[in-house]
Every structure is written in structure tokens, then in C-alpha cells.
Amino acid sequence: MTRLGILLSGRGSNFEAIADHVAAGDLEAEIAVVISNRSEAPGLEAARRRGLPAVAIPSKGLDREVYDRMAIEELRRCGVGLVCLAGFMRLLSATFVRAFPNRILNIHPSLLPSFPGLDAQHQALEHGVRVSGCTVHFVDEYLDAGPILAQAPVPVLDTDTVETLAARILKEEHRIYSEALRIVIGGNYRIEGRRVILG
Amino acid sequence: MTRLGILLSGRGSNFEAIADHVAAGDLEAEIAVVISNRSEAPGLEAARRRGLPAVAIPSKGLDREVYDRMAIEELRRCGVGLVCLAGFMRLLSATFVRAFPNRILNIHPSLLPSFPGLDAQHQALEHGVRVSGCTVHFVDEYLDAGPILAQAPVPVLDTDTVETLAARILKEEHRIYSEALRIVIGGNYRIEGRRVILG
């Protein structure tokens, strides 16, 4: 059983979707720990309600390296083999990335490489694209930049606000994050350059 | 009837798709002239076979401004009201863009703003995206940068080569270019910032 470590900063709706898939038995994994850098993150409370280990490691005032070493230690203590960022609003240090090589996933609400960084849905609306979407990728030291595991397109409507577009994309996020997890857990892939080749 | 001017450098398969839609009567337009910067472009021959005015204006050795003025003159002589770039491998000068404000369209084989410039399909494969596509946009002075009229997503498969991906995208190009033309010809849209708002 692959032991998942979830990192989140907010409500963690992608964490909840993963937890639902695990509970339904269609992901061969268990959630070993949920960590948040914000003690008041609703995602921590959601984890506790599900009876999952939930740990706050506040990041405020801490040097990135120091913080990341604390997070790595907690993940190792819980025997985590695969780290899932689910709305974790921090860039990981090289130390963190090297501690879990090609074992950290992130989800981003755009079709990368378009609109990396904050407020991707707002960026998409401002740019006037007719198609946006979401991306699950391996995490490297750069922002929203590692090899891509899964993407889903989502139409952008003339009537969209950031909220309606974000909601439409979120639905696909919940679907493809578990799809990507299934690929990584299954192990039937290889990374060639930036490409993830399945099968 | 909107009079279209088509600019191409090669085989002009998007020109042929537009011509088919015009011939079928589902585009309220007529093709006034097909211009190529390369005399040997197969697209010119295809235009002649269809009985359409086909003009070679070779660009070799000419300053961009000088060339663009020649093209503008020919387009005006033919009463062109809407310019369609269909594989025209040149950046337009500010003079050209200002001669037809918001009346020049281009199609690009990626979901812009991802992968502007040459070899977009190759760029997409190298980047390892799982979704690419195509974009019809208004042309400004920057490369593949104007307000977006239409986009279509296209899946990228593990087995894709540049050729198979390009062929899958091209099918959608042929569809959305006429869709975008129908919007511009109908006139039922407005441009707000970078956004094209329909209706």
C-alpha cells in the first residue's frame, strides 16, 4: 500500500477528493498524514473528521529550509512514499524535492505551461482564452514546472467569472488528481526529458 | 458579402477548408484573392484550380515594410475587408496591422499562450503536455499574441509523433477557423482588453 502524505494550506478540496477515492477502494493507497502550514486550514479539520492524522506545522517566520526539513521529518516519520500537494501555497526547496525524487505531485488550475503561479483562473480570463483546464505534474524546484502526468481541458464561457470558471475546473481537478495518482502508484510509466510516457 | 484575402506560404490547407465552407454556402463571404510570399507555394496552385485570383508577391530580399505595403496595396485593390493568415510564415509590420485594424485573423497550432512561434506541435511534444490544440486570434504586431476568437483542445497521445499530432490538430483547425470567421463576419462581438466577448 502506497502511503500518501498530503500538504495543504486551505480547504483542501483535492485532498477530500483523494480521500473519497481511497475510501471507495479505487486508489491502492492510504493517507498516512495531512500536513498544513496554517493551523486554521479547514483541510486539517476535514482530515480529523475522517479520522486521519492531521498535523499543523506553521510556517510563519520560519526559513524555507528549516520549514522544509521539519515537513520532511514528519513525512518520513509517517512512512510517506508519495507526497501530494493539494493547495499548498509554498514553493518547495531543493532539499524537499531531493528528499522525495519524482514522488511529489501537484495540481494546478490551468493547462500548463499557460498561466503558472497564483490566480491561474483570473489569468486565463484576463488573457481571453476559450479553453483552460488543469494539470497534475511532478514537482521540481521551479514553480508549476515539472513533468506532466495528466491534464484536462475545460471550456471558458463568455459569462464566466473567476468563481464559475474555478468551479468548473475544480470538478476536473478532483477527477484527474486520482487518475494521476493511479498512474504513479501503478508504476507503469517512465520519465523521458519532460515527458511522462505511460505503459 | 465580406471579401476575404488569404495569405499563405505553403500548401494552405486552412485556405482550402475556408474555400470549402464558402463553396458550401455556410460562410457569408467570398474569397477575393489568395496571396503568397512564395511563388512555388502549392496553395497558389490550389487557388487557381478553384478559379480564385492567386497572386505571388515574393518576399525574398525585400524589407518588411516595403513588402507589407505591396501586400496591403494588392488586398485593397481586391476590395478585401477581412484578411486570413493561413500558414503565412511572416510577422506582419505595424503598418500592415494598422491598415486592417482587428480585421486580420491567424490560426496557430497550439492552445495559446502555450507554444507560440515555430514548430508548436514539436514544442508541445517536448514539453510533455497531455492536451494541446489550436487557436484562432486577431493579429497584432506581436507573435501569436492578439485577442483570441476560438480555441479547440486536442489530446496528445504517448504514441504521437509531430506528424500524427499535427494531423489531429489540423482537423480541428479546419473546423474552428470557419467558426471564428463566422463570428467576425456576423459582427456580433466586442473586444474588451484581450477578451473577445460574443453576443
Side-chain angles (χ1 to χ4, degrees), chain B residues 76-94:
Chain B
R76 288 203 170 130
R77 201 181 61 75
C78 297
V80 165
L82 187 54
V83 179
C84 302
L85 309 188
F88 187 61
M89 304 306 279
R90 292 173 61 79
L91 201 60
L92 302 188
S93 66

Side-chain angles (χ1 to χ4, degrees), chain A residues 115-130:
Chain A
F115 315 126
L118 288 178
D119 299 322
Q121 303 95 335
H122 178 74
Q123 291 184 55
L125 281 180
E126 287 290 298
H127 198 91
V129 292
R130 320 294 300 187

Side-chain angles (χ1 to χ4, degrees), chain A residues 169-182:
Chain A
I169 292 174
L170 194 60
K171 224 176 130 185
E172 290 301 289
E173 290 179 42
H174 293 169
R175 187 176 63 77
I176 69 168
Y177 211 154
S178 289
E179 202 175 287
L181 275 169
R182 225 167 276 127

Side-chain angles (χ1 to χ4, degrees), chain A residues 130-146:
Chain A
R130 320 294 300 187
V131 176
S132 192
C134 49
T135 302
V136 181
H137 62 94
F138 287 108
V139 172
D140 60 19
E141 295 155 51
Y142 305 98
L143 181 64
D144 302 326

Side-chain angles (χ1 to χ4, degrees), chain A residues 111-115 125-131 148-153 157-158 160 194-198, chain B residues 111-115 125-131 148-153 157-158 160 194-198:
Chain A
L111 288 177
L112 291 171
S114 286
F115 315 126
L125 281 180
E126 287 290 298
H127 198 91
V129 292
R130 320 294 300 187
V131 176
I148 291 168
L149 269 157
Q151 292 187 303
L157 309 182
D158 282 328
D160 267 335
R194 284 196 50 83
R195 296 181 76 170
V196 180
I197 316 275
L198 308 185
Chain B
L111 289 177
L112 291 170
S114 286
F115 316 125
L125 281 181
E126 288 289 300
H127 198 89
V129 293
R130 319 296 301 186
V131 176
I148 291 168
L149 270 157
Q151 292 187 301
L157 309 181
D158 282 328
D160 268 335
R194 285 196 48 83
R195 296 182 75 171
V196 180
I197 314 274
L198 309 185

Side-chain angles (χ1 to χ4, degrees), chain B residues 8-189:
Chain B
L8 53 79
S9 301
R11 109 193 115 106
S13 83
N14 273 300
F15 148 61
E16 296 235 47
I18 292 167
D20 286 345
H21 281 279
V22 169
D26 54 70
L27 262 182
E28 290 275 330
E30 56 193 324
I31 296 174
V33 64
V34 176
I35 298 175
S36 176
N37 64 318
R38 293 175 55 235
S39 322
E40 71 280 19
L44 281 181
E45 186 47 39
R48 288 189 196 105
R49 270 200 310 273
R50 288 170 182 267
L52 296 170
V55 180
I57 310 180
S59 55
K60 216 176 162 181
L62 289 184
D63 179 85
R64 188 185 309 277
E65 281 287 327
V66 172
Y67 184 81
D68 281 7
R69 279 176 207 284
M70 291 167 70
I72 293 165
E73 197 180 326
E74 181 64 24
L75 291 166
R76 288 203 170 130
R77 201 181 61 75
C78 297
V80 165
L82 187 54
V83 179
C84 302
L85 309 188
F88 187 61
M89 304 306 279
R90 292 173 61 79
L91 201 60
L92 302 188
S93 66
T95 306
F96 199 135
V97 172
R98 282 183 212 131
F100 294 93
N102 288 334
R103 301 300 284 176
I104 311 172
L105 305 188
N106 184 39
I107 187 150
H108 182 79
S110 76
L111 289 177
L112 291 170
S114 286
F115 316 125
L118 290 178
D119 300 321
Q121 304 93 335
H122 178 73
Q123 289 183 57
L125 281 181
E126 288 289 300
H127 198 89
V129 293
R130 319 296 301 186
V131 176
S132 191
C134 50
T135 302
V136 182
H137 62 95
F138 288 108
V139 172
D140 61 19
E141 296 154 50
Y142 304 96
L143 180 66
D144 303 325
I148 291 168
L149 270 157
Q151 292 187 301
V154 168
V156 180
L157 309 181
D158 282 328
T159 50
D160 268 335
T161 61
V162 171
E163 290 69 30
T164 58
L165 177 59
R168 194 176 309 116
I169 293 174
L170 194 60
K171 224 175 131 186
E172 290 300 290
E173 290 179 42
H174 294 170
R175 186 175 65 77
I176 70 168
Y177 210 153
S178 289
E179 202 175 287
L181 276 168
R182 225 167 277 128
I183 294 168
V184 176
I185 291 166
N188 197 17
Y189 67 93

